[in-house]
Amino acid sequence: MANPYLYGYKLPINKYSANPFLAQKFPQLSSFAQQPYITDPNQEIPSSGNIFYHGPTNKLAALTFDDVPDSLFAPILLEILARYDVKATFFALGKCAHQNSSMVGQIVQKGHIIGNHTYDHLDITKISAEQVREQILRTEEEIYQIAGVRTALFRPPFGFFNDTTMQEIIAMGYKIIMWNIDSYDWMGLTGPAITSRVIVNIKPGAIVLMHNACDGSIEAGTGTVQSLPFIIETLKSAGYVFASIPTMLGIPAYK
Ligand SMILES: [Zn+2]
């Protein structure tokens, strides 16, 4: 299965074109900046028993954070989530868990769910099956040593996977958790731009993709923490209830 989802989006044109840094960093995206917002292409992909793009269409929504944890923004994310009593799902990179192990412990202690996002954030369609297994198991073991839980939720780096990797990952006891709302925080959008993207595209059963900045992408982390309180307040006032991925989907959090 090809996965063109990452570059299939159109971008908020003003935010993108007004930012020379982003225009330089992502030149391949400039041609997509034609209209303010479009529906995320993942919106219409049905979930199956092992791969989920969204939950049931009740008024639940799930916030998910990839590239977890860093030491700068992760504490702020946890503080905001605690303030609003929201439980979220965090997809950790093994290398970042190793570097910021205390944050992994806090995520679990505070009642959030931690999932597996590989060790090094490689494109798993470009490495051997053996390497894929090693990337996932090394991360699983790292998190187990820190927090005593064995991850059962997997999010592929960049959202890329194919039939071979999909079967391998499922055989390892994982559910693949995709998303149907991309906040675009990874592009370094401002807080208001991220908030707008999420609120405009939200629908019942949404799985929202956001990021932590453990790879050193500070421009992504700032907008994320700026937007999070507004996203939560707006969606709560619209009647949404936030749930972790296992709660929303009715699947086990851990092995
Ligand atoms: Zn990632």
Side-chain angles (χ1 to χ4, degrees), residues 17-85:
S17 55
N19 188 327
F21 170 78
L22 287 178
Q24 188 178 13
K25 191 172 178 183
F26 301 103
Q28 70 274 37
L29 292 168
S30 61
S31 62
F32 295 114
Q34 290 163 5
Q35 59 187 72
Y37 302 101
I38 63 163
T39 301
D40 194 310
N42 277 3
Q43 286 264 19
E44 305 305 329
I45 301 177
S47 294
S48 72
N50 291 307
I51 307 175
F52 296 89
Y53 290 84
H54 56 79
T57 54
N58 47 29
K59 251 192 165 178
L60 291 179
L63 299 176
T64 66
F65 297 89
D66 286 9
D67 306 354
V68 172
D70 74 349
S71 56
L72 182 60
F73 294 107
I76 304 172
L77 293 175
L78 291 180
E79 191 277 321
I80 295 168
L81 293 169
R83 192 194 313 163
Y84 293 101
D85 193 25

Side-chain angles (χ1 to χ4, degrees), residues 66-67 117 121 157-158 211:
D66 286 9
D67 306 354
H117 194 43
H121 209 274
F158 314 104
H211 287 81

Side-chain angles (χ1 to χ4, degrees), residues 87-180:
K87 300 298 185 240
T89 306
F90 291 81
F91 290 95
L93 288 173
K95 66 177 180 183
C96 302
H98 185 74
Q99 287 162 9
N100 300 298
S101 56
S102 69
M103 286 309 309
V104 172
Q106 281 194 50
I107 287 167
V108 175
Q109 280 165 18
K110 290 176 187 296
H112 304 291
I113 303 301
I114 197 152
N116 193 318
H117 194 43
T118 74
Y119 202 89
D120 294 307
H121 209 274
L122 304 174
D123 177 350
I124 59 172
T125 66
K126 301 273 169 58
I127 58 177
S128 70
E130 192 179 331
Q131 286 174 304
V132 172
R133 284 182 58 82
E134 196 262 344
Q135 283 283 314
I136 295 172
L137 288 175
R138 195 176 169 199
T139 301
E140 181 181 313
E141 191 62 28
E142 185 75 44
I143 292 169
Y144 179 71
Q145 292 301 328
I146 297 166
V149 293
R150 286 216 174 268
T151 50
L153 309 178
F154 181 76
R155 173 160 289 161
F158 314 104
F160 293 164
F161 62 93
N162 55 31
D163 286 343
T164 309
T165 51
M166 175 185 73
Q167 284 160 14
E168 180 78 23
I169 293 160
I170 291 167
M172 293 174 72
Y174 280 86
K175 303 290 189 191
I176 298 174
I177 309 301
M178 298 293 284
W179 63 87
N180 67 344

